[in-house]
Amino acid sequence: MDSRWVGPDGFEIVPGARDGRQVLRVCRHGQVVADCFSVAEVAALVDLADLCEVVTLRPRRGFEAVG
């Protein structure tokens, strides 16, 4: 299951890695703005209250669409 957070003005926060450490990668309109090592760093760029989590669900193996 993959997750990301989106907000107004084209902001998107996705998990990433830099120098072997986990980061929260802040992008705007597809361009990387910053790799943040803490939520506080993200909050300095984006209002956290405006973010909405988007979760990508993968269908179970052997699942066949009905229709």
Side-chain angles (χ1 to χ4, degrees):
M1 180 168 60
D2 296 324
S3 65
R4 61 190 173 99
W5 295 265
V6 295
D9 299 325
F11 279 103
E12 180 177 11
I13 293 83
V14 295
R18 189 173 97 185
D19 299 330
R21 294 179 59 191
Q22 290 183 335
V23 297
L24 294 169
R25 183 159 290 142
V26 179
C27 302
R28 186 170 187 208
H29 301 297
Q31 300 293 319
V32 175
V33 174
D35 284 341
C36 300
F37 292 100
S38 71
V39 174
E41 290 179 36
V42 175
L45 300 169
V46 181
D47 186 351
L48 300 179
D50 289 338
L51 297 178
C52 180
E53 185 175 15
V54 178
V55 178
T56 303
L57 302 176
R58 294 188 182 107
R60 292 181 301 199
R61 288 184 133 175
F63 176 79
E64 294 183 23
V66 178

